[in-house]
Amino acid sequence: MKISSFSLSSFVGKHYVGDVFVRKASYLEVAELNNIIVLFPQVVPSIIDPINPQGCWDWWGYTSKQFATKIGPQMIGVKKMIDTVQMLTDVIGTSA
């Protein structure tokens, strides 16, 4: 499994670029050829608590002081996504 946490130079997220990155970055073609799952987690823009109007990944600590650790809110969310994909692949018998 590969994880692509894209936001345009960490300043603009999916909210502004749509699915262009997912379609144009060539990750899907490589993944298909190599039987790899690619996860494209996204951040929802918010204007209050936390303030993140452009939907950026937390690289400055707006979610918590633990933002850059595995106990930061976004990393906990990504880990849950990974666990869900792994559980589903185990159920259907496909390796991730």
Side-chain angles (χ1 to χ4, degrees):
M1 178 183 312
K2 301 296 179 191
I3 301 165
S4 175
S5 57
F6 169 79
S7 63
L8 195 59
S9 300
S10 295
F11 295 110
V12 180
K14 179 188 181 288
H15 178 73
Y16 292 96
V17 299
D19 65 353
V20 172
F21 175 74
V22 171
R23 290 185 296 109
K24 301 283 185 175
S26 299
Y27 291 149
L28 295 178
E29 293 83 359
V30 172
E32 179 70 24
L33 289 171
N34 294 284
N35 197 30
I36 297 171
I37 294 170
V38 182
L39 182 63
F40 295 94
Q42 303 296 318
V43 177
V44 176
S46 60
I47 56 172
I48 57 170
D49 197 26
I51 297 172
N52 184 17
Q54 295 180 315
C56 299
W57 282 97
D58 190 358
W59 54 272
W60 71 92
Y62 75 85
T63 58
S64 78
K65 290 180 181 177
Q66 292 82 26
F67 75 97
T69 70
K70 62 184 172 182
I71 63 169
Q74 290 179 344
M75 292 303 101
I76 289 172
V78 170
K79 175 68 166 100
K80 288 178 181 178
M81 292 176 205
I82 292 167
D83 292 346
T84 299
V85 170
Q86 186 61 55
M87 186 251 333
L88 292 171
T89 58
D90 290 347
V91 168
I92 63 172
T94 304
S95 61

